[in-house]
């Protein structure tokens, strides 16, 4: 009885202390709850508001990046289109030199030849020929001077410096204040000397008008930095901002970095600047997004946040009332339990504790199948039930972890299988016989890629070689790549010409293309009996030709339209002749975009030199150089290459 009495007194003391503490706690909570609730709600709203602003900024930066890349594609496509036109004119001049026609006779028909090459010539573009003797012949546009000094004329010097490759000038200003840039290429006489240059002058307003229409938001701006001094062709701010140290420092950072993004305050506006450099020129395109436009996008979300805050306040009021009921219920339960314990202090009080202790020891040793028996309905019984529930939940959780691990392993295995299947769709081995050798290489940036290549005999005398790049990466690109490869192969094999084959594949891919995916491709059809080549370009990087003497040139072609975007498009077919020993090198942009740990791109210049210095096996030397250059840095894009060698003609 002494033990029971002491236990009773101890329990009564516990009850008194707990009751007092709960009552005082309730009073304190009721007194300070208003200010506490408001502080917690305000802090939560501030944190959520910050997250909303950050997400909105990220979305706008993504839009800016897309806009900049689109404008770069417009500029590059137009420069490529103009370059192709003047290259055709230069080749025409060289062909007539080879036929023995003198300069006077050839110049008299030069403008007719220009119209024959391209009836779509834009009359707003001045195109003219400057001969080595200084004569000037206008082909399209406004007439220019009839004679110039070739030693000082900037257009002649620009074209002659390219050694047969189109050259793009800086942005210049004529005597009327109009801005333009020149694209020039030289042509040679029978002795290999420069006989003249073909020049097209492009009004810069053609690029500016496109950029004005692509600004994001009410306060957004687009502009272009067109030389290393940070010169912009249009005052999109105001003289006070353009002359400020802040803007000069911003331009300096843009010119130094060439690609990237930054936040900067100009005048009374804060902007996010996304900028990228063009490939063919030193121009850097910039998209400026105002912070006001970013903030406006999150207003609707903030309104929803305010409504949620009001609901939280109502909920906390409900919780305070519930707390009072819980306190009263707890006090009542404690008193009832105490009365029961006082009158039943015996073995029935101690035994359940021992049973519970024994069961807990078994559980702690790892036996999760143990089920504790609840012999009482008091706190000990509740604790027993809690342990049983905990054991069951723990066991179930372990099973779930096991299932999740199995599912993850299955997903990884399926992805590896898909990658294996995708690799299996590429040619299993090089195409190598006594007449030709065609060998490709493909390395996706992710488990699944979008690049592919192909080489196959259509019949005994004709070989097709294909290289292509699907937009985007991962599973969507891989699926589109699979469909595109099969369509290209079947269309080319079952069409009367290579351009008709690409048109058929493009029409099929363009139908029901809801995701607007597309494929850039370059396709050649080679007659191994005489080296004659028919080829078509669908928006892809132009391949290189390496002659046996080590000279390098780029295949000439219109940029064309990528496959899958425009049903009914008519592709242009071009022709050329391969001599024995000539090599063709095809590639995707992942080669030039390969980066090292310092963020430096491999570049077109390095790639051309590697091809120039390579032997018959171009790919092995270039792959070794890419590996040494990247130094293990993460691969930015899929890398795909294809080398073709015309060993000898089939007699």
């Amino acid at each position: 009885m002494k033990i029971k009495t002491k236990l009773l007194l101890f329990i009564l003391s516990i009850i008194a202390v707990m009751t007092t503490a709960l009552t005082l706690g309730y009073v304190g909570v009721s007194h300070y709850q208003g200010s506490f609730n408001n502080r917690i709600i305000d802090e939560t709203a501030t944190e959520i508001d910050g997250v909303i602003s950050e997400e909105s900024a990220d979305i706008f930066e993504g839009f800016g990046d897309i806009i900049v890349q689109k404008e770069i594609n417009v500029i590059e496509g137009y420069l490529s289109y103009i370059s192709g036109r003047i290259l055709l004119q230069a080749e025409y001049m060289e062909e007539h030199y080879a036929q023995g026609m003198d300069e006077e006779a050839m110049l008299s028909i030069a403008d007719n030849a220009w119209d024959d090459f391209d009836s779509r010539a834009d009359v707003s573009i001045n195109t003219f020929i400057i001969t080595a003797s200084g004569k000037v012949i206008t082909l399209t546009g406004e007439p220019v001077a009839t004679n110039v000094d070739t030693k000082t004329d900037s257009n002649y010097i620009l074209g002659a410096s390219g050694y047969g490759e189109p050259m793009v000038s800086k942005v210049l200003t004529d005597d009327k204040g109009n801005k333009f840039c020149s694209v020039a290429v030289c042509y040679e006489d029978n002795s290999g000397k420069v006989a003249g240059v073909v020049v097209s002058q492009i009004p810069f307003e053609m690029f500016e008008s496109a950029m004005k229409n692509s600004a994001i938001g009410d306060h957004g701006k687009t502009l272009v930095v067109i030389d290393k001094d940070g010169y912009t062709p249009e005052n999109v701010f105001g003289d006070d901002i353009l002359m400020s140290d802040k803007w000069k420092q911003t331009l300096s950072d843009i010119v130094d970095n060439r690609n990237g993004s930054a936040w900067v305050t100009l005048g009374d506006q804060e902007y996010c600047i996304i900028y990228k450099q063009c490939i063919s020129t030193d121009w850097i395109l910039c998209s400026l997004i105002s912070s006001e436009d970013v903030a406006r996008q999150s207003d609707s979300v903030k309104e929803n946040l305010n409504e949620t805050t009001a609901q939280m306040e109502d909920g906390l009021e409900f919780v305070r009332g519930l707390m009072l009921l819980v306190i009263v219920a707890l006090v009542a339960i404690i008193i009832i339990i105490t009365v029961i314990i006082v009158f039943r202090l015996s073995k029935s009080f101690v035994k359940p504790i021992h049973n519970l202790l024994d069961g807990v020891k078994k559980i702690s040793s790892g036996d999760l199948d143990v089920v504790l028996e609840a012999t009482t309905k008091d706190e000990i019984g509740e604790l027993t039930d809690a342990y049983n529930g905990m054991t069951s939940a723990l066991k179930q959780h372990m099973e779930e972890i096991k299932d999740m691990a199995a599912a993850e392993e299955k997903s990884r295995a399926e992805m590896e299988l898909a990658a294996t299947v995708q690799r299996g769709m590429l040619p299993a081995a090089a195409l190598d016989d006594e007449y030709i050798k065609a060998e490709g290489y493909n390395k996706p940036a992710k488990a699944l890629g979008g690049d592919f290549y192909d080489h196959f005999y259509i019949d005994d005398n004709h070989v097709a070689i294909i290289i292509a790049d699907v937009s985007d990466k991962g599973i969507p690109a891989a699926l589109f790549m699979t469909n595109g490869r099969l369509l290209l192969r079947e269309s080319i094999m079952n069409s009367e010409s290579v351009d008709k084959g690409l048109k058929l594949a493009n029409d099929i891919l363009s139908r029901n293309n809801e995701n607007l995916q597309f494929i850039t491709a370059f396709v050649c059809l080679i007659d191994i009996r005489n080296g004659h080549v028919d080829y078509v370009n669908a928006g892809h990087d132009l391949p290189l030709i390496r002659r046996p003497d080590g000279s390098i040139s780029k295949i000439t072609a219109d940029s064309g339209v990528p496959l899958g975007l425009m049903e009914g498009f008519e592709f242009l077919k071009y022709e050329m002749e391969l001599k024995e020993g000539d090599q063709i090198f095809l590639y995707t942009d992942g080669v030039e975009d390969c980066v090292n740990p310092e963020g430096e791109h491999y570049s077109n210049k390095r790639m051309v030199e590697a091809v120039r210095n390579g032997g018959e096996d171009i790919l092995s030397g270039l792959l070794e150089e890419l590996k040494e250059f990247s130094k293990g840095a993460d691969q930015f894009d899929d890398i795909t290459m294809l080398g073709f060698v015309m060993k000898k003609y089939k007699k």
Side-chain angles (χ1 to χ4, degrees):
M1 292 299 295
K2 291 183 178 180
I3 295 177
K4 293 181 181 180
T5 302
K6 290 181 180 180
L7 183 58
L8 176 60
L9 292 175
F10 176 74
I11 293 175
L12 290 175
S13 300
I14 293 289
I15 292 174
V17 171
M18 291 182 64
T19 303
T20 303
L22 289 172
T23 303
L24 292 176
Y26 173 75
V27 173
V29 169
S30 299
H31 184 269
Y32 292 104
Q33 185 181 7
S35 61
F36 178 77
N37 290 349
N38 291 335
R39 179 173 63 85
I40 293 299
I41 292 172
D42 291 342
E43 290 177 355
T44 303
T46 301
E47 292 180 1
I48 295 176
D49 185 51
V51 171
I52 294 170
S53 299
E54 290 178 3
E55 292 295 332
S56 299
D58 290 342
I59 292 172
F60 270 73
E61 287 188 30
F63 287 160
D65 187 75
I66 294 173
I67 291 298
V68 170
Q69 187 59 56
K70 186 193 77 172
E71 298 306 326
I72 287 178
N73 292 341
V74 171
I75 291 177
E76 294 291 350
Y78 203 80
L79 290 176
S80 175
Y81 172 65
I82 295 300
S83 298
R85 287 167 52 189
I86 64 175
L87 271 172
L88 291 174
Q89 182 71 27
E91 289 178 0
Y92 172 84
M93 305 298 284
E94 290 183 348
E95 289 175 1
H96 283 74
Y97 266 115
Q99 296 171 4
M101 184 178 289
D102 59 27
E103 183 180 272
E104 291 295 333
M106 185 163 48
L107 291 176
S108 67
I109 63 172
D111 54 349
N112 294 332
W114 178 264
D115 294 337
D116 291 339
F117 284 136
D118 195 343
S119 61
R120 299 171 298 171
D122 194 332
V123 295
S124 66
I125 299 176
N126 287 347
T127 302
F128 49 91
I129 296 174
I130 305 175
T131 68
S133 62
K135 294 181 180 180
V136 181
I137 304 299
T138 300
L139 300 178
T140 62
E142 296 293 332
V144 296
T146 57
N147 289 279
V148 297
D149 184 355
T150 58
K151 295 182 179 179
T152 59
D153 185 77
S154 60
N155 286 317
Y156 188 88
I157 295 172
L158 176 69
S161 66
Y163 300 101
E165 292 290 331
M167 303 296 291
V168 182
S169 73
K170 292 185 177 181
V171 175
L172 307 172
T173 305
D174 61 17
D175 53 1
K176 297 180 181 180
N178 300 316
K179 298 181 180 65
F180 67 93
C181 67
S182 296
V183 183
V185 65
C186 67
Y187 60 90
E188 299 176 350
D189 57 19
N190 293 334
S191 63
K193 295 182 180 180
V194 175
V197 298
V198 184
V199 184
S200 282
Q201 293 180 332
I202 309 174
F204 200 76
E205 62 183 1
M206 298 178 67
F207 304 123
E208 290 180 328
S209 61
M211 289 185 289
K212 288 179 181 178
N213 296 328
S214 62
I216 299 177
D218 297 336
H219 302 84
K221 304 176 186 297
T222 55
L223 55 90
V224 60
V225 178
I226 60 176
D227 61 31
K228 293 183 179 179
D229 297 328
Y231 171 72
T232 56
E234 181 184 13
N235 186 343
V236 297
F237 298 108
D239 293 336
D240 54 339
I241 292 180
L242 291 179
M243 297 301 295
S244 67
D245 293 338
K246 187 68 174 179
W247 177 242
K248 292 178 180 178
Q249 181 60 48
T250 300
L251 281 180
S252 176
D253 293 341
I254 291 174
V255 173
D256 289 342
N257 296 328
R258 316 305 287 176
N259 296 278
S261 63
W263 284 88
V264 62
T265 301
L266 301 174
D268 58 352
Q269 288 284 342
E270 183 180 17
Y271 294 95
C272 175
I273 305 179
I274 298 95
Y275 54 93
K276 287 187 176 182
Q277 180 179 350
C278 296
I279 297 176
S280 302
T281 69
D282 285 337
W283 304 350
I284 304 174
L285 271 74
C286 306
S287 180
L288 286 78
I289 307 168
S290 168
S291 59
E292 291 186 11
D293 295 324
V294 177
R296 187 179 299 110
Q297 298 301 315
S298 60
D299 285 345
S300 61
V301 180
K302 292 178 182 177
E303 292 178 1
N304 293 335
L305 176 62
N306 292 333
E307 295 178 2
T308 304
T309 300
Q311 294 175 1
M312 289 174 61
E313 292 175 349
D314 294 339
L316 288 173
E317 287 295 330
F318 172 76
V319 170
R320 185 173 64 175
L322 186 61
M323 286 178 60
L324 177 60
L325 294 176
V326 170
I327 291 174
V328 174
L330 285 175
V331 172
I333 291 173
I334 291 173
I335 294 174
I336 294 172
I337 292 176
T338 303
V339 173
I340 295 173
I341 290 175
V342 169
F343 290 100
R344 298 188 61 182
L345 284 175
S346 60
K347 292 183 179 181
S348 60
F349 176 78
V350 179
K351 185 177 180 180
I353 296 177
H354 285 293
N355 292 337
L356 179 61
L357 181 59
D358 292 339
V360 170
K361 288 180 179 179
K362 293 179 180 179
I363 293 173
S364 62
S365 66
D367 186 2
L368 299 181
D369 293 327
V370 173
V371 178
L372 303 180
E373 182 179 359
T375 59
T376 64
K377 296 183 180 180
D378 53 14
E379 286 85 350
I380 303 300
E382 293 179 1
L383 185 58
T384 301
D385 293 338
Y387 266 101
N388 286 334
M390 178 193 68
T391 304
S392 176
L394 182 59
K395 187 175 180 180
Q396 181 180 357
H397 184 58
M398 291 178 67
E399 290 294 331
E400 291 174 354
I401 292 176
K402 183 178 179 181
D403 292 341
M404 290 173 61
E408 183 177 352
E409 177 64 22
K410 180 180 179 182
S411 177
R412 184 187 64 80
E414 290 175 348
M415 188 65 72
E416 291 180 354
L417 178 59
T420 301
V421 172
Q422 187 183 44
R423 289 193 296 270
M425 296 192 66
L426 299 176
L431 188 61
D432 193 1
D433 55 33
E434 60 179 315
Y435 309 113
I436 64 167
K437 180 179 180 180
E439 183 177 13
Y441 171 82
N442 171 263
K443 183 181 180 183
K446 297 182 178 180
L448 299 175
D451 287 3
F452 67 90
Y453 67 90
D454 205 350
H455 48 68
F456 53 91
Y457 270 99
I458 293 180
D459 53 39
D460 293 339
N461 299 318
H462 294 85
V463 176
I465 58 174
I466 303 171
I467 194 161
D469 186 352
V470 179
S471 61
D472 205 356
K473 301 175 183 66
I475 293 177
L479 294 175
F480 202 65
M481 166 266 196
T482 302
N483 191 25
R485 178 186 177 277
L486 295 175
L487 276 175
L488 272 176
R489 175 180 274 256
E490 292 300 319
S491 298
I492 292 171
M493 293 187 69
N494 294 287
S495 297
E496 61 184 17
S497 62
V498 66
D499 54 323
K500 299 298 183 183
L502 256 71
K503 181 181 184 302
L504 176 60
N506 176 62
D507 290 344
I508 296 174
L509 287 171
S510 299
R511 297 167 191 159
N512 301 320
N513 186 9
E514 297 179 355
N515 295 327
L516 296 180
Q517 291 180 282
F518 59 87
I519 301 175
T520 66
F522 195 94
V523 181
C524 295
L525 185 61
I526 304 164
D527 190 334
I528 64 175
R529 296 171 297 182
N530 52 25
H532 180 78
V533 182
D534 292 334
Y535 62 92
V536 176
N537 186 27
H540 198 76
D541 295 319
L542 294 176
L544 301 174
I545 295 183
R546 181 178 183 272
R547 305 296 183 184
D549 61 0
S551 62
I552 297 290
S553 62
K554 186 176 287 188
I555 292 179
T556 303
D558 188 358
S559 62
V561 172
L563 305 176
L565 293 181
M566 183 187 301
E567 186 175 355
F569 184 78
E570 298 288 343
F571 291 91
L572 296 178
K573 181 181 73 175
Y574 297 87
E575 300 178 6
M576 64 178 177
E577 307 297 329
L578 290 179
K579 298 179 181 179
E580 293 182 348
D582 285 350
Q583 297 172 283
I584 302 177
F585 175 69
L586 304 93
Y587 61 96
T588 62
D589 53 10
V591 178
E592 298 175 324
D593 291 339
C594 178
V595 297
N596 59 18
E598 291 75 32
E600 181 183 10
H601 287 266
Y602 182 66
S603 78
N604 179 266
K605 181 179 180 181
R606 286 191 178 94
M607 181 187 70
V608 172
E609 287 303 315
V611 174
R612 188 193 310 277
N613 298 328
E616 179 178 328
D617 189 1
I618 299 175
L619 298 189
S620 61
L622 185 55
L623 286 173
E624 187 65 28
E625 186 168 327
L626 284 173
K627 181 179 179 181
E628 181 178 350
F629 174 81
S630 63
K631 299 176 183 177
D634 291 339
Q635 187 173 325
F636 175 75
D637 197 358
D638 299 342
I639 295 178
T640 303
M641 299 177 286
L642 193 154
F644 177 86
V645 182
M646 185 76 245
K647 293 182 179 180
K648 68 176 183 178
Y649 296 153
K650 181 180 179 182
K651 304 301 183 180

